[in-house]
Amino acid sequence: MFDKYRRFLLNRMTSTPEIVEDIENSLATEDETVKHSLHKILVCRWPEGNVELFETLYEYFGLMFIPHNFVASNLVTSFYTDSLTLVLKVMKMDFMFQYNRNMFSLDILLNDKTTTECFGDKITIDEVVTKIINQRFNEHRELNLTNFCNDPVLHERKIHFHKLVLLAHFKILMLRMGKETRILNLSSNNLSQVPSEILNFFIKGDLIGVNLSNNNIPSLAELQRISSKIEKLWVEGNPLCGDILDAVTYIRQISQKFPRLTELDGVPLNNHGVKMPFFKHHVNDLGNKTKLVIEKFVTLYFGHYDTNRLKLENFYVPHANFTITTDFKETAEDILKDPYARHSRNFINPVKRAMYVEKNKKRSYHSQQAVITVLNCLPPTEHDLSTFRIDVLQHDSKCLVFVIDGVYKELPHRLSKERFIHFRRTFILYYAVKPYNNMLTSYVIVHEMFSASLASPEIVRNSFKFPIRNICQIKLIEPDTEDVQTMCNIFIYYTKLKKSEAKARLIKVDWDIKKALKQFTYDLKSGAIHSDKFIEDDDFSDLSSLLEDELD
């Protein structure tokens, strides 16, 4: 029946009730011929582009459709669709639609082409999209819809998937995928908000992770809660990441929307938010495996470097090589006293090098113990990981070579004052396939080159803008009332101190409970804590040893 309308020009003059009835019957019977028929929509003197036209038709007629083969000219703009529902709606709306206070008329070339003529084989637009979706679903139960609208197959077949939410048109397909998908990747789709029309198909299934990275979500306010089951979330590369928020506030606000979150932007979080995505400044585009190794290394290495450098021993092989290069602008007398100068193999400035070598023999470091000894001689530090720039030079099955450029400050120590240091450290790591330090596999440092100089005033101004949290510390930063209460309760549980005394000790060490417990243990052993500071008279003979076990 539908064949009699082959290339039939349908408009206000040719439309009849009989044609309307035939189209309604065709929709009801789901005729195979209808599924493979494409209808040409023609718009006279359309002033805008294709996306504006598709959006206008969607809003005016109130239904979704997938356009094909859009062509624009000065007089007539056209595209194809397989949606008889759209054709029927246009007919009932008298072939007119409004845009910017102007009325535009539509003509329809009914049943103009078949899918075989357009695509080269007998396949519908729905079948093309279904095939692409199935290919983007992997064995890890991840549905990868990244940059979906620009999929090469859609582009090759001239199917204009102008916005991601068109997938909601494929209800049966989306319901099936929603039951099977655990990780949904929606990255690089120019989303300005969370696409609830799509996510509604997934939230009742096993979905635990959503990737919204590299979109156009403007603020955290737009990041509406998706599901209470979400454990992994990616939002980096959105304008919301440019908000003036410190890392702790950023994580706290996102965690309020996703209470079961354990991983943010590929970085694990714990209950206190100690681990966090603190730096994203990679010089080159890294693969997921390389990025994971680098971020774990940097987190652990510099966490120990700023707290307890003896624990860095396990990072180096027994025959590790290490050099320091410095160029500080001090007097000759200061150079001889400077710990960097005393342990440097060479100087950037040859004059300073000559002054030092006259009184000291050149030293080199070719063992694990020597490296740790040198590092322990350097002043205590605090690194600002947000300033780190990382350049990976090589990563393969045998080694990893990368350079870290950043800023740290030397904490006031004895007679020394606080200094800001601009550093560059080059690490050469080998992949140990045999057990090393009780680990089945590990990356270990074989060579390291350490260069340090005084930071310029501009670098100093742009560093340490936000509170620094170290992975090796259990410390509150700008705590609210609830955080203070929780930390005090934990400290009271271990020490049996009265609340006022517990709070005073925590404030004294800037809410670092690990430091507070160490100081408490020392004071308890030396008898410096009066009995009236405790909640009740208990036997504290075993308390100090218990705390030492906990601290270890």
Side-chain angles (χ1 to χ4, degrees):
M1 178 187 69
F2 199 67
D3 288 338
K4 68 180 180 180
Y5 296 112
R6 179 71 168 169
R7 294 195 172 99
F8 182 83
L9 182 61
L10 194 60
N11 54 35
R12 298 176 70 186
M13 302 298 295
T14 61
S15 177
T16 64
E18 180 187 358
I19 298 176
V20 172
E21 184 179 356
D22 286 344
I23 292 176
E24 289 176 340
N25 290 335
S26 297
L27 286 171
T29 57
E30 296 185 356
D31 186 0
E32 187 71 17
T33 304
V34 174
K35 290 171 57 178
H36 291 276
S37 298
L38 294 174
H39 321 289
K40 191 172 186 178
I41 310 295
L42 302 103
V43 185
C44 184
R45 299 186 184 280
W46 175 250
E48 304 288 349
N50 59 345
V51 175
E52 290 79 9
L53 176 59
F54 302 148
E55 288 292 332
T56 301
L57 295 177
Y58 166 71
E59 292 176 6
Y60 193 82
F61 295 108
L63 52 85
M64 288 186 179
F65 60 93
I66 313 298
H68 165 69
N69 195 18
F70 175 86
V71 177
S73 66
N74 293 332
L75 295 177
V76 178
T77 297
S78 66
F79 66 89
Y80 284 89
T81 179
D82 63 353
S83 175
L84 266 184
T85 305
L86 175 62
V87 172
L88 191 61
K89 197 69 174 285
V90 170
M91 294 173 68
K92 292 182 178 181
M93 299 289 284
D94 202 22
F95 296 87
M96 302 289 288
F97 72 96
Q98 185 178 6
Y99 178 71
N100 285 350
R101 299 183 180 180
N102 293 319
M103 294 299 293
F104 289 84
S105 63
L106 291 170
D107 289 340
I108 301 174
L109 200 56
L110 196 63
N111 196 11
D112 182 47
K113 288 186 177 182
T114 65
T115 55
T116 303
E117 292 173 319
C118 288
F119 302 139
D121 53 354
K122 193 174 182 180
I123 185 172
T124 66
I125 293 177
D126 284 19
E127 289 169 344
V128 171
V129 174
T130 299
K131 185 176 181 180
I132 295 172
I133 293 292
N134 289 333
Q135 290 175 343
R136 284 172 170 252
F137 187 75
N138 62 32
E139 66 275 12
H140 304 295
R141 298 178 66 185
E142 176 187 2
L143 180 57
N144 183 6
L145 299 180
T146 182
N147 199 22
F148 184 82
C149 297
N150 294 315
D151 186 272
V153 175
L154 295 175
H155 181 74
E156 179 185 353
R157 294 182 180 270
K158 298 182 180 180
I159 297 174
H160 299 279
F161 223 90
H162 58 281
K163 59 181 180 180
L164 189 66
V165 294
L166 289 177
L167 285 174
H169 171 74
F170 303 87
K171 291 183 172 59
I172 296 177
L173 172 64
M174 288 292 100
L175 285 170
R176 176 172 62 82
M177 300 308 300
K179 293 179 180 179
E180 301 175 0
T181 301
R182 287 179 61 82
I183 304 293
L184 180 61
N185 189 342
L186 301 175
S187 63
S188 303
N189 279 297
N190 198 31
L191 300 173
S192 58
Q193 59 185 5
V194 176
S196 57
E197 301 96 328
I198 295 176
L199 285 163
N200 287 338
F201 292 103
F202 295 86
I203 57 178
K204 293 183 180 180
D206 296 330
L207 187 70
I208 62 167
V210 178
N211 189 340
L212 294 168
S213 62
N214 300 313
N215 279 295
N216 198 33
I217 300 174
S219 66
L220 288 175
E222 298 292 336
L223 197 64
Q224 57 183 320
R225 182 169 166 175
I226 299 169
S227 167
S228 60
K229 297 187 295 183
I230 295 300
E231 299 175 7
K232 299 180 180 182
L233 180 69
W234 292 262
V235 292
E236 61 182 336
N238 283 280
L240 68 87
C241 297
D243 289 349
I244 305 177
L245 293 174
D246 64 90
V248 177
T249 304
Y250 170 75
I251 288 180
R252 179 178 295 170
Q253 291 188 8
I254 290 181
S255 298
Q256 288 173 352
K257 298 176 183 291
F258 305 96
R260 296 179 65 180
L261 197 66
T262 61
E263 188 175 302
L264 178 60
D265 292 338
V267 179
L269 306 174
N270 66 13
N271 292 334
H272 306 287
V274 173
K275 290 185 182 179
M276 60 184 64
F278 42 77
F279 65 93
K280 293 293 174 188
H281 307 296
H282 298 284
V283 174
N284 42 9
D285 188 19
L286 306 180
N288 289 335
K289 181 180 179 181
T290 302
K291 184 180 290 188
L292 180 64
V293 172
I294 291 289
E295 294 194 355
K296 282 190 174 182
F297 173 86
V298 171
T299 304
L300 293 171
Y301 184 91
F302 289 97
H304 291 312
Y305 190 95
D306 288 345
T307 54
N308 185 358
R309 292 177 193 165
L310 290 176
K311 292 186 177 181
L312 293 176
E313 181 180 8
N314 292 333
F315 285 81
Y316 294 87
V317 295
H319 56 279
N321 295 303
F322 179 78
T323 63
I324 300 181
T325 303
T326 63
D327 186 20
F328 294 148
K329 297 179 180 179
E330 280 103 356
T331 65
E333 182 180 356
D334 290 333
I335 290 174
L336 296 179
K337 294 179 181 179
D338 191 277
Y340 296 93
R342 292 201 307 270
H343 298 94
S344 295
R345 285 188 59 196
N346 53 67
F347 285 67
I348 296 175
N349 189 320
V351 177
K352 294 180 180 180
R353 171 178 166 78
M355 288 189 299
Y356 181 74
V357 172
E358 286 178 2
K359 297 188 177 182
N360 300 273
K361 293 182 179 180
K362 181 175 70 174
R363 300 186 62 184
S364 58
Y365 307 100
H366 300 289
S367 70
Q368 180 189 70
Q369 184 178 359
V371 173
I372 301 304
T373 300
V374 172
L375 293 179
N376 270 309
C377 291
L378 302 181
T381 59
E382 183 177 31
H383 286 75
D384 182 1
L385 276 68
S386 67
T387 66
F388 281 21
R389 301 294 186 274
I390 299 175
D391 187 6
V392 178
L393 306 179
Q394 181 178 347
H395 186 201
D396 53 34
S397 59
K398 295 182 179 180
C399 72
L400 171 61
V401 182
F402 61 97
V403 181
I404 300 179
D405 184 285
V407 178
Y408 65 82
K409 62 182 176 182
E410 296 177 348
L411 304 179
H413 182 61
R414 296 178 183 173
L415 300 178
S416 65
K417 60 181 181 180
E418 183 179 79
R419 293 194 302 183
F420 287 80
I421 305 297
H422 183 202
F423 75 92
R424 173 169 292 180
R425 299 181 72 165
T426 301
F427 293 95
I428 301 178
L429 280 63
Y430 282 2
Y431 184 70
V433 294
K434 296 181 179 180
Y436 181 78
N437 289 336
N438 298 321
M439 298 175 64
L440 295 178
T441 59
S442 61
Y443 285 87
V444 287
I445 303 171
V446 180
H447 305 284
E448 182 192 349
M449 291 166 280
F450 187 156
S451 174
S453 60
L454 292 177
S456 67
E458 182 180 2
I459 290 177
V460 173
R461 284 195 301 270
N462 291 318
S463 60
F464 292 92
K465 288 187 174 182
F466 304 109
I468 304 300
R469 186 185 291 274
N470 189 297
I471 189 175
C472 297
Q473 295 175 326
I474 306 176
K475 179 180 180 180
L476 295 179
I477 296 178
E478 298 178 356
D480 56 24
T481 304
E482 184 179 353
D483 292 334
V484 168
Q485 182 65 38
T486 302
M487 186 67 83
C488 286
N489 289 341
I490 294 172
F491 193 63
I492 291 170
Y493 172 80
Y494 282 111
T495 63
K496 308 301 180 184
L497 290 170
K498 292 180 179 179
K499 184 176 180 180
S500 58
E501 177 67 14
K503 186 174 182 179
R505 284 178 170 268
L506 287 168
I507 292 175
K508 188 176 181 180
V509 294
D510 197 20
W511 297 101
D512 188 332
I513 193 171
K514 200 169 184 179
K515 284 186 178 180
L517 287 172
K518 283 186 176 181
Q519 185 61 45
F520 171 80
T521 304
Y522 176 81
D523 292 343
L524 186 65
K525 285 183 175 180
S526 60
I529 306 177
H530 196 273
S531 59
D532 62 3
K533 302 293 184 182
F534 294 97
I535 297 174
E536 56 186 15
D537 293 332
D538 279 338
D539 181 9
F540 298 106
S541 57
D542 295 329
L543 185 57
S544 61
S545 60
L546 175 64
L547 285 172
E548 287 175 351
D549 292 339
E550 292 286 347
L551 291 172
D552 290 338

